[in-house]
Amino acid sequence: MFDGKVLHSMAYAAMAGDEASEFIKEKRVTVIGLRKSAVDVAVEVATKNGVGHPCILVFRRVHWLVLEHLNKFTFRNLNRFSQLMIHRPGEGFFQCLLAFLLSPLLWMFTRMMEMYLKWTCPLIKKYEMVPDHPFLKQIVSCMSLVLPPNFYERVSEGSLILKKSQSFSFCKNGLVQHGEDSALETDIVIFATGYIQKR
């Protein structure tokens, strides 16, 4: 049985500023997930606790992580012309032909964005955070993940530790990752893995 505290990111976000700061102060915090709420909470904890009590971010699937300016650039260029490059259900012959002829432009844009992200954020490769899916798939499915400005700074200084794991289990003093013998010692586990809305 885990001796620490477990809560959802929504419960943490509902806390007042002083209450949240006191809750995580000098505690070993592990955040589960790699979506917007997960990275926001992890960076907040890492900023407040520093390298003395680093926050651990545990995730299973990786996504393309982009900064705000790059996200704006991407959507600014997804205009009506770019819609002609994508096949749609029920499209006519000429629409299909046009999408086929323009598809190299779409592929080039996607590849350039991926190369730019790898070049400007070398930590992506270091921490095995290069996704299997193309950048375009994430954008068209409206799953773009915008990072807090100081995310990579926290990782570089050691106040935020990234851990990729397919699964984990609780133990008395923390979490045991799949394939690992030693436990990730933690006092608080914050789940940021989605929720079911009450109807």
Side-chain angles (χ1 to χ4, degrees):
M1 184 67 71
F2 178 51
D3 286 340
K5 297 179 180 179
V6 180
L7 70 158
H8 194 272
S9 58
M10 290 185 67
Y12 176 79
M15 295 181 184
D18 293 340
E19 182 186 358
S21 296
E22 191 60 33
F23 180 72
I24 63 170
K25 184 179 179 181
E26 297 182 357
K27 296 289 196 306
R28 298 168 299 181
V29 181
T30 299
V31 179
I32 310 297
L34 194 65
R35 288 293 186 188
K36 181 60 176 167
S37 59
V39 294
D40 284 348
V41 170
V43 168
E44 181 180 326
V45 173
T47 302
K48 290 179 179 177
N49 281 349
V51 295
H53 297 82
C55 177
I56 300 175
L57 183 62
V58 178
F59 54 93
R60 181 174 58 183
R61 283 190 289 270
V62 294
H63 310 279
W64 290 104
L65 310 176
V66 299
L67 295 174
E68 181 66 28
H69 72 278
L70 190 59
N71 194 58
K72 288 180 179 178
F73 170 80
T74 301
F75 280 99
R76 193 180 299 123
N77 286 279
L78 291 178
N79 49 35
R80 291 191 178 275
F81 175 71
S82 64
Q83 294 178 12
L84 299 174
M85 306 179 192
I86 300 174
H87 292 281
R88 288 171 289 183
E91 64 185 3
F93 172 76
F94 289 107
Q95 287 179 320
C96 179
L97 180 62
L98 189 59
F100 174 76
L101 294 174
L102 294 176
S103 59
L105 291 177
L106 193 61
W107 180 86
M108 286 173 59
F109 175 78
T110 303
R111 293 296 296 165
M112 285 175 60
M113 292 297 289
E114 292 173 7
M115 289 171 63
Y116 177 79
L117 286 170
K118 292 175 186 177
W119 176 59
T120 56
C121 308
L123 292 176
I124 289 178
K125 215 165 186 180
K126 180 179 178 181
Y127 291 100
E128 300 179 53
M129 298 182 72
V130 178
D132 295 328
H133 59 269
F135 180 76
L136 180 67
K137 182 178 179 181
Q138 188 167 304
I139 294 296
V140 297
S141 60
C142 297
M143 300 293 280
S144 180
L145 176 57
V146 180
L147 288 176
N150 53 353
F151 177 83
Y152 288 113
E153 292 175 26
R154 300 287 84 86
V155 175
S156 296
E157 73 182 12
S159 61
L160 179 57
I161 299 172
L162 306 177
K163 295 277 187 181
K164 187 178 180 182
S165 178
Q166 288 303 309
S167 62
F168 65 87
S169 58
F170 282 96
C171 63
K172 186 176 179 63
N173 61 339
L175 306 174
V176 178
Q177 294 177 271
H178 176 74
E180 298 285 339
D181 295 325
S182 58
L184 286 175
E185 296 185 0
T186 185
D187 303 309
I188 301 171
V189 177
I190 301 177
F191 281 92
T193 52
Y195 64 97
I196 299 175
Q197 185 177 8
K198 292 182 179 179
R199 298 187 181 185

